[in-house]
Amino acid sequence: MEEGSDIVIELRNVSYKYPGADFYALRDISLRVKRGEVLLITGPTGAGKTTLCYILNGLVPHFFGGTFEGEARVLGYNVLETPVGFLATKVGMVFSDPLSQLVSATVEDEVAFGLENLGLPEEEIVRRVKEALEYVGLYHLRSRPPYTLSGGEQQAVALASILVMDPEIYVLDEPTANLDPIGTLRILDLLKRLSRERGKTIIVVEHKLEEMAEIADRMIVMNGGKIIAEGTPREILTHQAEHLHGLGLEAAHIPLLVQRLVGKGVIKKPDSIPLTLSEGVKFFDRLLSSGELTIRSEKVQEPNGGAGAGGEPIITVENLVHVYPGGTMALKGVSMEVYRGDFLAIIGQNGSGKTTLVKHFNGLLKPTQGKVRVFGMDVEETPTSELVKRVGYIFQDPDRQLFTRRVRDELAFGPKNIGVPPDEIEKRIKDVSRKLRIEHLLDREPYSLGKGEKQRVAIASILVMNPEVVILDEPTTGQDPRNRREIMDTMKMLHKEGKTIVFITHDMNLVAEYANRCIVMSDGKILLQGTPREVFSKVDILRTTRLKPPTITSLFMELSKSYPIRETILTLDEAIRMFEGGG
């Protein structure tokens, strides 16, 4: 590249294969990125997105080795000929799990770490650290240990630790994967400011496409190590919604609804496809007012049988208070029940008390005050070893749950410890691994697996104990949309077989599609509970917690102000059925 060129990243016919791999992670990639551009990269798991990011700061090929073909230049420097240490001063990288890159005792120390390694004067370090923390809004937390912060705050610290180095290019690999809606908005706002106020070039790998569409200039879609689509976010999200959905990605729901109605012959193909909620309201208002569409009056069915479908309470919580060592009151007098046959979603912002609540269900935590009874057993008086036979708990991060050298040993560990005979253990491993499609992984080392595979192994390690209640703490975090669906479809299958399912999530679409009942938590208390249809109709209350219904639900709630829509619509399928009577 010429000196002073507007092109800051250029890949020409790049292919790459990891050491020992029998396939190329990237195949014939050519890409140019302009200075100050915000580029969104998306694609299913295994598409090559993270590998592409590693090239930009030289981790591929310098750190990982392997076979590299083609040419990669960043800011004019040939990546193959430039040390990683030098590229790191020009290209800052932020990972999806902020704790994996936060190593210092305090926020301030973390942000200062890179500058100290460069040997800058103390006064310069102090000035730049203060400026970076003020920019991300965390200067007041400078003395806090990073592990005590919320997910959004941790990600902001990771971003500040890059910001303080003042790189020209920022590369963020799924930066909002572990974040609640507030944390996601915080990071997207910071990226928008970095682009518009400081003119930084930003590369973001993300699955939250609708949110990213507001700040990205350009979008590329990857699959099988190749770039298969490129354009503005609006072009791709509106014209290729069905294609994105087919890849297992989270297509924007309003364009997807329009494309499906066109495909069914319900409406004619429009000249312009709406993307945002406001555009969708105007689009469907025009069709309804002109008579091209009409509203069907049939009653929609509750998913999974409706609230309390299974009968009697099997977990009861009465005035539960939990105070952590150090004085943090996480639960403030919670009372609720889990019914046999529930498919219960628990939602709320980080720090609202969701995880603290469900950890009482199998004795991982004990009440500070109040009572929790599980199948009639008082959790304070019952050994955890007894409770885990009835209630299985799957952690948010499978790396914190997996510890053996082989997947087969991981699955055998739990039932062996509760006294299940060897023959029965082998039978259960065979049955569960077939259900979760991990039979081919039984002799693999758990830590060598991908995110989706690890999560399925973690779920299998609980299911082999045959609990009556399965609790999943944000089971889809860090998964691409296809893996999310696979995990939740497995839970749906188990629910049909008689299991009671409790899951914590930030994904309102999953709540709408799978849950029969929903609890909303805020500040250690229960704010709302009922069916998803009932809960999502309370828009004003949800707004106080920064939660919002699925886009499809919001669309029909707006339309119901002018048209006879008497039901709260939850899913895309319900929306299509609502319109299929149009003429």
Side-chain angles (χ1 to χ4, degrees), residues 109-312:
D109 291 342
E110 185 65 49
V111 179
F113 184 79
L115 298 178
E116 290 170 345
N117 278 279
L118 292 177
L120 295 185
E122 184 177 350
E123 311 82 60
E124 175 75 359
I125 292 175
V126 170
R127 181 186 66 78
R128 286 169 66 167
V129 168
K130 184 174 186 289
E131 182 183 88
L133 286 174
E134 285 177 342
Y135 194 82
V136 301
L138 291 182
Y139 187 67
H140 64 294
L141 299 177
R142 61 191 179 280
S143 300
R144 287 268 298 274
Y147 72 87
T148 66
L149 305 180
S150 72
E153 289 167 340
Q154 289 173 353
Q155 196 61 282
V157 172
L159 190 55
S161 69
I162 301 300
L163 176 67
V164 77
M165 306 289 288
D166 196 30
E168 297 184 51
I169 299 170
Y170 288 73
V171 180
L172 300 99
D173 189 5
E174 298 186 43
T176 71
N178 298 306
L179 303 187
D180 61 13
I182 288 178
T184 296
L185 289 173
R186 178 192 195 106
I187 295 304
L188 294 184
D189 180 62
L190 286 171
L191 296 182
K192 190 188 303 183
R193 289 171 57 203
L194 280 171
S195 169
R196 294 178 182 175
E197 295 174 5
R198 301 196 173 191
K200 300 298 184 181
T201 305
I202 298 173
I203 315 293
V204 187
V205 173
E206 261 297 346
H207 293 303
K208 296 177 181 176
L209 305 184
E210 286 188 73
E211 293 91 334
M212 275 300 304
E214 296 181 19
I215 70 168
D217 300 306
R218 188 160 53 112
M219 174 178 176
I220 64 173
V221 183
M222 297 185 67
N223 192 35
K226 293 184 174 183
I227 294 174
I228 61 169
E230 183 174 353
T232 68
R234 176 172 288 274
E235 288 169 348
I236 293 177
L237 292 177
T238 56
H239 291 97
Q240 300 196 40
E242 198 68 71
H243 184 209
L244 293 175
H245 183 76
L247 289 172
L249 302 176
E250 197 67 70
H253 279 191
I254 289 176
L256 193 56
L257 173 59
V258 172
Q259 287 192 4
R260 293 201 173 166
L261 290 173
V262 170
K264 288 176 175 288
V266 179
I267 62 174
K268 298 173 184 176
K269 186 176 180 179
D271 294 330
S272 177
I273 297 175
L275 174 60
T276 66
L277 177 60
S278 61
E279 291 171 4
V281 172
K282 290 176 184 175
F283 178 85
F284 284 102
D285 177 57
R286 179 176 57 78
L287 294 181
L288 289 165
S289 62
S290 68
E292 187 175 344
L293 272 181
T294 57
I295 302 295
R296 299 182 71 171
S297 59
E298 69 178 45
K299 187 175 177 63
V300 293
Q301 297 294 313
E302 292 293 346
N304 300 312
E312 84 278 10

Side-chain angles (χ1 to χ4, degrees), residues 89 530 554:
T89 66
S554 297

Side-chain angles (χ1 to χ4, degrees), residues 88-100:
T89 66
K90 305 293 184 182
V91 181
M93 189 157 182
V94 179
F95 298 93
S96 59
D97 179 9
L99 275 180
S100 69

Side-chain angles (χ1 to χ4, degrees), residues 220-526:
I220 64 173
V221 183
M222 297 185 67
N223 192 35
K226 293 184 174 183
I227 294 174
I228 61 169
E230 183 174 353
T232 68
R234 176 172 288 274
E235 288 169 348
I236 293 177
L237 292 177
T238 56
H239 291 97
Q240 300 196 40
E242 198 68 71
H243 184 209
L244 293 175
H245 183 76
L247 289 172
L249 302 176
E250 197 67 70
H253 279 191
I254 289 176
L256 193 56
L257 173 59
V258 172
Q259 287 192 4
R260 293 201 173 166
L261 290 173
V262 170
K264 288 176 175 288
V266 179
I267 62 174
K268 298 173 184 176
K269 186 176 180 179
D271 294 330
S272 177
I273 297 175
L275 174 60
T276 66
L277 177 60
S278 61
E279 291 171 4
V281 172
K282 290 176 184 175
F283 178 85
F284 284 102
D285 177 57
R286 179 176 57 78
L287 294 181
L288 289 165
S289 62
S290 68
E292 187 175 344
L293 272 181
T294 57
I295 302 295
R296 299 182 71 171
S297 59
E298 69 178 45
K299 187 175 177 63
V300 293
Q301 297 294 313
E302 292 293 346
N304 300 312
E312 84 278 10
I314 53 177
I315 298 174
T316 59
V317 178
E318 300 173 5
N319 300 313
L320 176 61
V321 173
H322 189 85
V323 181
Y324 283 104
T328 301
M329 184 180 286
L331 297 176
K332 304 173 181 178
V334 171
S335 296
M336 52 83 69
E337 294 173 323
V338 178
Y339 299 98
R340 187 183 300 278
D342 253 345
F343 205 129
L344 173 65
I346 302 179
I347 62 177
Q349 301 300 341
N350 287 346
S352 60
K354 307 182 299 295
T355 295
T356 302
L357 173 62
V358 300
K359 281 185 173 179
H360 285 80
F361 295 174
N362 71 345
L364 288 173
L365 292 176
K366 304 292 184 182
T368 303
Q369 295 175 29
K371 289 287 183 185
V372 178
R373 292 184 176 85
V374 178
F375 294 99
M377 299 179 286
D378 189 322
V379 297
E380 282 194 280
E381 301 170 358
T382 307
T384 302
S385 58
E386 284 299 311
L387 293 170
V388 298
K389 294 178 182 178
R390 311 288 293 275
V391 180
Y393 187 99
I394 298 158
F395 290 84
Q396 175 180 347
D397 182 358
D399 284 334
R400 299 185 181 185
Q401 189 169 341
L402 307 176
F403 61 93
T404 65
R405 291 185 176 275
R406 287 194 313 164
V407 169
R408 185 184 301 277
D409 298 333
E410 196 72 52
L411 270 55
F413 182 83
K416 187 183 297 181
N417 276 274
I418 60 174
V420 178
D423 288 350
E424 175 65 15
I425 291 175
E426 197 55 40
K427 181 174 176 295
R428 290 187 188 184
I429 289 175
K430 186 175 181 181
D431 181 51
V432 169
S433 61
R434 177 183 52 78
K435 281 182 181 175
L436 290 170
R437 302 186 323 283
I438 59 169
E439 295 160 293
H440 62 296
L441 303 177
L442 290 176
D443 292 317
R444 292 273 300 276
E445 186 178 272
Y447 282 101
S448 71
L449 306 179
K451 285 181 184 176
E453 292 170 331
K454 284 182 182 177
Q455 190 64 276
R456 289 202 295 275
V457 170
I459 292 170
S461 71
I462 297 302
L463 296 185
V464 290
M465 298 173 71
N466 197 28
E468 295 172 67
V469 180
V470 179
I471 299 171
L472 302 101
D473 190 350
E474 300 190 37
T476 60
T477 293
Q479 307 291 326
D480 70 10
R482 175 171 283 157
N483 279 335
R484 287 179 219 160
R485 300 275 169 197
E486 289 181 354
I487 289 170
M488 295 308 296
D489 284 345
T490 299
M491 293 304 113
K492 191 172 184 177
M493 174 187 68
L494 293 170
H495 181 254
K496 287 180 178 177
E497 292 176 359
K499 303 288 186 190
T500 298
I501 309 295
V502 179
F503 70 107
I504 293 172
T505 187
H506 294 307
D507 190 329
M508 298 303 106
N509 290 317
L510 294 183
V511 176
E513 187 170 343
Y514 292 93
N516 67 359
R517 202 158 64 89
C518 180
I519 285 176
V520 182
M521 297 193 68
S522 177
D523 192 30
K525 300 175 183 177
I526 290 179

